[in-house]
Amino acid sequence: MTMTFKDLGLAQPLLQATEALGFTTPTPVQAQIIPHALEGGDWMVSSQTGSGKTAAFLLPLLHQLLAKNPNNKPVPGRAEPQVLVLCPTRELAQQVANDAINLVKFCKGIRIATIMGGMPYGKQIAQIRGASLVVATPGRLLDLHDSRAIRLNKVQYLVADEADRMLDLGFQEDIEAIHALCSERQQTLMFSATFAPRIMQLAESLMKAPQRIELASAQDKHENIAQTLHWADGVSHKHALLNHWLSDPTMEQAVVFASTQVDSEMIADQLRAAGHSATALHGAMPQAVRNRRLMSLRKGQTKILVATDVAARGLDIPTITHVINFGLPMKAEDYVHRIGRTGRAGRSGVAITLAEHRERVKVRAIEHYTKQPLQAEIIPGLEPKEKPKKPMHRPGDKRGGKSFGQHREAKKSGGFGKPKGPRFMQSGKSGQSSGQKRSFSN
Ligand code: AMP
């Protein structure tokens, strides 16, 4: 099942806006960031332009603004924004502001303003009065603050976009000054192409216990994750293999992936009946329930999460030692997202895939996509009765994935269903937009 913006629990006027913009499906970056940002806390994200990251931070912040003040009445005459987005360049500030204006089209009373060098002061001062969200370059923002044209003490949410570029352009002191002027805020999000040490230092100084979201690329080797395949004769054999792995003494916490929402509930029920501490997580659950279950996993109260792809995207819990693919992913790219739930923060992890012989085309598609073979292994006493009919292909073999249409489409459009218009590569280091080339000048 494809994820929608509605699954992310966003407010109606924002859903209307995404629809009007023709955004049918959240990009992988959005699917990952939006739930985290809504959860609260400070987040440090490594991401690329062209991945849909602007809407990924604007949507959850606008959602929170709407939730706090549904009729969001602007205060005439006051220049006291609640959301502040810092950008390194005028061009980026303008783009972000334009995206924000498009996203608030159906929100009552939320006004957007831009503050940047090179624009007449008078016009900017008039514009920022009554604006809830201000997009700014750091230097001009501080100028306006010093001349008392804007107050920053009501800022609740601060975003530092393209933080690495802001450091390159010498904005470190300005950013730190702005940080001090809105120290009462409740959330800070920081975006950067890398997690280089200087970026991490800035993150530490701006944020409280920042958590990281690292958007991985398809062909990452995942050397710290031991990937294994077990051929299964059917569902009950899969259950026996699942039980074997969940009883592994090295298992701290596990995510078991199911193909459907119904399956996730059923597997969780069966695991609980077998004495495991397990809970289901899927997109049909109200956001509050999802948050509670995730919190319980994060606190270690739940050991096993049985999830669908949509629900588990972006899950970042370092104590997850095992990922088990009980149902195979619909798209080969989801395999990479799934296994990335373990082996986090420099730890090692185990990723087990349980496949029936009739699913071997999907297994090949995964191997083709990751360009790595999946090593089939046997557990004594749990051997499959049937042997695989054809030898597995070599990774990179063109035949892999031929009849796995979803996979081919995922490769074409980055897997979020917008074949025309801007193309998205996999989120991650190589994830540059091929349709969106921006030139930055200051
Ligand atoms: P960004 O990475 O934020 O610069 O976004 C790159 C481009 O993708 C912009 O033109 C956005 O309007 C567009 N975009 C963002 N999210 C989506 C989506 N979910 N579906 C289609 N296009 C999108």
Side-chain angles (χ1 to χ4, degrees), residues 53 78 96 105 109 275:
K53 78 172 155 79
R78 299 237 178 108
V96 170
K105 209 157 146 192

Side-chain angles (χ1 to χ4, degrees), residues 241-433:
L241 290 161
L242 178 63
N243 246 318
H244 168 88
W245 277 107
L246 294 180
S247 315
D248 188 52
T250 64
M251 200 281 280
E252 271 179 64
Q253 283 185 301
V255 180
V256 176
F257 280 95
S259 299
T260 65
Q261 297 176 347
V262 173
D263 282 358
S264 71
E265 300 269 8
M266 264 167 31
I267 298 167
D269 285 348
Q270 292 195 3
L271 289 176
R272 273 197 302 275
H276 292 288
S277 148
T279 189
L281 188 85
H282 58 70
M285 290 170 178
Q287 193 60 44
V289 175
R290 284 166 67 170
N291 292 348
R292 266 204 305 279
R293 292 186 178 194
L294 282 174
M295 194 53 79
S296 161
L297 187 75
R298 201 157 267 142
K299 287 185 180 154
Q301 291 157 346
T302 301
K303 289 252 175 289
I304 304 159
L305 188 73
V306 188
T308 55
D309 290 290
V310 164
R313 277 254 171 112
L315 198 71
D316 186 9
I317 301 176
T319 42
I320 293 173
T321 49
H322 289 59
V323 164
I324 301 176
N325 293 314
F326 188 91
L328 287 183
M330 279 287 284
K331 292 184 248 172
E333 70 171 81
D334 286 334
Y335 175 82
V336 177
H337 287 296
R338 287 179 174 195
I339 67 164
R341 300 312 105 219
T342 185
R344 301 189 80 78
R347 301 183 186 209
S348 58
V350 175
I352 311 294
T353 298
L354 309 177
E356 293 180 44
H357 298 296
R358 61 186 170 84
E359 295 171 308
R360 64 185 182 282
V361 174
K362 286 189 180 183
V363 173
R364 280 182 198 161
I366 291 167
E367 293 185 312
H368 179 66
Y369 182 74
T370 59
K371 304 216 177 346
Q372 292 161 60
L374 267 176
Q375 219 56 56
E377 284 180 16
I378 283 169
I379 294 167
L382 292 174
E383 299 86 351
K385 288 191 188 70
E386 233 185 290
K387 292 265 169 312
K389 291 194 177 66
K390 281 185 195 163
M392 295 304 293
H393 83 296
R394 291 183 307 279
D397 180 343
K398 288 233 160 44
R399 287 168 305 155
K402 233 179 199 169
S403 49
F404 193 21
Q406 285 276 14
H407 162 53
R408 290 163 65 80
E409 180 175 320
K411 281 202 82 179
K412 244 202 296 185
S413 66
F416 67 97
K418 200 188 180 207
K420 294 206 178 99
R423 284 174 49 192
F424 293 83
M425 298 284 291
Q426 287 311 300
S427 52
K429 288 158 209 147
S430 57
Q432 290 285 5
S433 156

Side-chain angles (χ1 to χ4, degrees), residues 179-192:
H179 156 66
L181 292 171
C182 51
S183 55
E184 297 298 303
R185 65 189 183 270
Q186 68 181 67
Q187 189 171 39
T188 308
L189 307 175
M190 193 164 137
F191 291 78
S192 165

Side-chain angles (χ1 to χ4, degrees), residues 70-279:
N71 296 318
N72 212 287
K73 291 226 163 65
V75 191
R78 299 237 178 108
E80 296 175 338
Q82 292 147 277
V83 182
L84 177 62
V85 181
L86 297 178
C87 295
T89 62
R90 298 170 193 171
E91 286 83 350
L92 186 62
Q94 223 148 19
Q95 295 229 23
V96 170
N98 283 345
D99 287 358
I101 289 165
N102 287 331
L103 289 173
V104 298
K105 209 157 146 192
F106 301 94
C107 302
K108 251 205 230 151
I110 298 192
R111 288 225 352 255
I112 312 293
T114 329
I115 294 178
M116 55 198 187
M119 244 176 85
Y121 276 89
K123 194 175 162 203
Q124 266 177 14
I125 291 169
Q127 210 197 46
I128 51 184
R129 290 199 183 119
S132 331
L133 186 150
V134 165
V135 186
T137 51
R140 176 62 72 93
L141 178 67
L142 284 175
D143 282 353
L144 288 184
H145 180 268
D146 292 349
S147 60
R148 296 174 189 273
I150 187 167
R151 286 163 64 101
L152 298 178
N153 57 345
K154 294 276 163 63
V155 169
Q156 291 296 310
Y157 307 96
L158 176 69
V159 180
D161 196 10
E162 305 207 346
D164 45 343
R165 280 189 67 84
M166 287 206 274
L167 291 187
D168 291 343
L169 295 170
F171 285 134
Q172 173 142 3
E173 278 179 21
D174 287 355
I175 297 171
E176 281 166 359
I178 293 164
H179 156 66
L181 292 171
C182 51
S183 55
E184 297 298 303
R185 65 189 183 270
Q186 68 181 67
Q187 189 171 39
T188 308
L189 307 175
M190 193 164 137
F191 291 78
S192 165
T194 69
F195 284 151
R198 65 196 183 111
I199 306 293
M200 294 317 294
Q201 266 167 18
L202 181 69
E204 292 295 333
S205 69
L206 296 192
M207 302 200 259
K208 294 189 199 101
Q211 302 183 72
R212 288 194 203 186
I213 304 179
E214 209 164 346
L215 300 160
S217 85
Q219 277 83 38
D220 269 359
K221 286 277 176 271
H222 295 289
E223 263 148 0
N224 55 336
I225 303 172
Q227 298 176 55
T228 303
L229 169 74
H230 292 299
W231 291 110
D233 294 324
V235 174
S236 57
H237 190 192
K238 279 193 178 185
H239 273 287
L241 290 161
L242 178 63
N243 246 318
H244 168 88
W245 277 107
L246 294 180
S247 315
D248 188 52
T250 64
M251 200 281 280
E252 271 179 64
Q253 283 185 301
V255 180
V256 176
F257 280 95
S259 299
T260 65
Q261 297 176 347
V262 173
D263 282 358
S264 71
E265 300 269 8
M266 264 167 31
I267 298 167
D269 285 348
Q270 292 195 3
L271 289 176
R272 273 197 302 275
H276 292 288
S277 148
T279 189

Side-chain angles (χ1 to χ4, degrees), residues 5 18 21-30 47-59 92 95-96 99 102 161-162 416-418 420-424 433 435-436 438:
F5 283 99
T18 52
L21 285 166
F23 297 179
T24 46
T25 322
T27 68
V29 170
Q30 289 161 357
S47 68
Q48 302 282 343
T49 293
S51 55
K53 78 172 155 79
T54 314
F57 64 75
L58 287 175
L59 284 168
L92 186 62
Q95 295 229 23
V96 170
D99 287 358
N102 287 331
D161 196 10
E162 305 207 346
F416 67 97
K418 200 188 180 207
K420 294 206 178 99
R423 284 174 49 192
F424 293 83
S433 156
Q436 293 280 308
R438 288 171 182 172

